Amino acid sequence: TIKLARAAANSTSNVLLQGESGTGKEIFAQAIHNQSQRCQGPFIAINCGAIPRELIGSELFGYVEGAFTGARRGGKAGKFEMAAGGTLFLDEIGDMPLEQRVVLLRVLQNKTVTRIGDSKDIPVDVRIICASNKNLLEEVEKGDFRQDLYYRLNVISIAIPPLRDRKDDIPLLMHHYLMKLGVEPIIIERIMNPAVMHCLSKSAWPGNVRELQNVAERLA
């Protein structure tokens, strides 16, 4: 997975990261950006599932003054404009409202955005990395995700395995997070005794690496 991400960093193609919640999709996206030729440009992340449905269009594409009630004086640039010259990370793309997916497809095809309330096309030079904890191909087959958008986004596909499928990483990650928390090496050795490691290896880790990070903090 890491080798594939390094290869993706050397291209400008769209990347689709798929994996369960807590596996580290945003960390992979940031790492791909940092290793790319766009590393000097901005890395802008937006969670498509966390923004209210009526606001995601203005967040992504911006708006002009007077576009709607409460619009900021002078308008506002959207995330696409803010990410110009860099990378735009669209997290939980599967939760984006259907009407905004249509607009997103048009932006990806034309490389331009139109602010809400305006008719002027603004060219944008942005590398797109998307992530989803859903299987988007299954969503396409069920009719819940646009096929044309899926193939536009899924140029380089990277699957991030859940922690239960890479249990050899548990001691490495636990040591890393305890060190990051400033725990003294002698205390880390006491925490990471064989009985504790055996318990941790038996867990199914439904929250993946994020859950392990919380456990490390609790143990510390």
Side-chain angles (χ1 to χ4, degrees), residues 194-206:
V196 171
M197 288 298 102
H198 178 68
C199 268
L200 296 181
S201 69
K202 287 171 67 178
S203 172
W205 296 105

Side-chain angles (χ1 to χ4, degrees), residues 1 5 15-33 43 45 47 87 89-95 129-136 158-162 166 206-210:
T1 303
V15 177
L16 177 61
L17 301 168
Q18 296 194 92
E20 294 176 8
S21 181
T23 49
K25 296 185 288 296
E26 184 165 351
I27 290 172
F28 264 86
Q30 180 79 66
I32 290 169
H33 169 77
F43 176 84
N47 188 321
T87 302
F89 175 54
L90 300 174
D91 198 7
E92 303 307 346
I93 188 71
D95 294 330
I129 301 178
C130 293
S132 179
N133 58 17
K134 300 177 180 177
N135 185 319
L136 290 188
I158 301 176
I160 303 176
R166 48 187 180 107
N208 290 294
V209 180
R210 188 182 293 123

Side-chain angles (χ1 to χ4, degrees), residues 183-203:
V183 180
E184 294 179 15
I186 191 167
I187 304 298
I188 291 176
E189 190 176 334
R190 191 183 304 164
I191 290 172
M192 294 182 61
N193 67 70
V196 171
M197 288 298 102
H198 178 68
C199 268
L200 296 181
S201 69
K202 287 171 67 178
S203 172

